[in-house]
């Protein structure tokens, strides 16, 4: 899990790093045409840096996905195993009230919902937080005035995300209850 978190930080820093590379390319292209060999040298260098970043991002995203998927699978396995053990240790009267299909059905979807909480969801949250922090840090280092204006909108974006999630939860509850 620690390996996956460190990969998430690497992946989150990819987009802000692209902005630095892009600005360096623009700077290289803005040189006077009389320095065409210098322009070519700098553009070639920053293009290779883009390529290097792409390979690092590719490897980091693949490894992060595998790491978080493995953690989610292990958690799901442990929960199913523990739930099955507790079901088997129940009294006979417990099985008179419930059918075998009901008990088996309990093991499948209930524990699979945990996989979403331990796999792709924390991976996406970690990626977004790392991107946000890296972009804020680079922005403060390069142009602190504009960066402060952009950072001040982060609470508004978080509030919008929270309200969106609250509405989705409310709509899901209404759909389950069958009310309009």
């Amino acid at each position: 899990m620690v390996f996956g978190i460190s990969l998430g930080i690497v992946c989150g820093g990819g987009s802000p790093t692209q902005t630095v590379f892009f600005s360096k390319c623009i700077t290289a292209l803005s040189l006077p045409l009389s320095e065409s060999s210098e322009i070519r040298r700098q553009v070639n260098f920053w293009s290779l840096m883009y390529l290097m970043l792409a390979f690092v991002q590719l490897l980091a995203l693949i490894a992060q996905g595998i790491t978080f998927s493995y953690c989610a699978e292990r958690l799901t396995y442990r929960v199913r195993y523990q739930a099955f053990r507790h079901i088997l240790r129940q009294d006979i009267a417990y099985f008179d009230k419930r059918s075998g299909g009901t008990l088996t059905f309990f093991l499948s979807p209930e524990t699979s919902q945990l996989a979403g909480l331990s796999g792709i969801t924390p991976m996406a949250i970690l990626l977004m937080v790392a991107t946000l922090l890296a972009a804020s840090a680079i922005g403060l280092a390069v142009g602190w005035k504009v960066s402060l204006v952009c950072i001040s909108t982060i609470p508004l974006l978080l509030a919008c995300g929270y309200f969106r999630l609250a509405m989705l939860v409310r709509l899901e509850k209404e759909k389950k209850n069958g009310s309009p």
Side-chain angles (χ1 to χ4, degrees):
M1 192 69 162
V2 174
F3 183 62
I5 290 171
S6 62
L7 288 171
I9 294 169
V10 169
C11 292
S15 294
T17 305
Q18 284 180 11
T19 61
V20 173
F21 291 172
F22 186 69
S23 69
K24 297 294 184 180
C25 284
I26 296 295
T27 304
L29 290 172
S30 65
L31 292 173
L33 287 178
S34 60
E35 300 178 24
S36 61
S37 62
E38 180 65 19
I39 293 172
R40 181 174 301 280
R41 188 189 66 76
Q42 285 188 17
V43 168
N44 284 340
F45 174 75
W46 290 113
S47 298
L48 289 174
M49 291 300 287
Y50 259 116
L51 185 65
M52 181 269 317
L53 180 64
F55 283 127
V56 168
Q57 286 287 100
L58 175 70
L59 294 175
L61 283 169
I62 289 172
Q64 182 189 20
I66 289 170
T67 303
F68 276 101
S69 296
Y70 177 76
C71 290
E73 186 59 34
R74 292 289 299 160
L75 177 67
T76 304
Y77 172 77
R78 276 188 281 169
V79 168
R80 281 185 179 151
Y81 179 74
Q82 291 294 327
F84 187 64
R85 279 188 55 206
H86 287 295
I87 287 173
L88 290 179
R89 294 179 191 268
Q90 298 295 321
D91 294 330
I92 297 296
Y94 178 81
F95 295 104
D96 291 339
K97 297 176 190 171
R98 293 162 184 89
S99 69
T102 305
L103 295 173
T104 306
F105 181 74
F106 170 76
L107 290 176
S108 182
E110 299 295 330
T111 55
S112 294
Q113 290 174 355
L114 283 175
L117 292 176
S118 63
I120 193 78
T121 304
M123 184 175 82
I125 291 172
L126 178 66
L127 191 67
M128 286 185 276
V129 168
T131 301
L132 190 64
L133 290 176
S136 298
I138 289 174
L140 285 171
V142 172
W144 66 273
K145 290 177 184 176
V146 175
S147 181
L148 285 178
V149 171
C150 293
I151 290 173
S152 67
T153 63
I154 291 173
L156 179 64
L157 292 173
L158 293 175
C160 290
Y162 173 76
F163 288 131
R164 177 182 173 268
L165 184 63
M167 289 298 295
L168 287 174
V169 168
R170 192 175 118 221
L171 290 172
E172 187 67 29
K173 282 181 182 177
E174 286 178 2
K175 190 170 87 172
K176 263 187 180 177
N177 295 336
S179 60

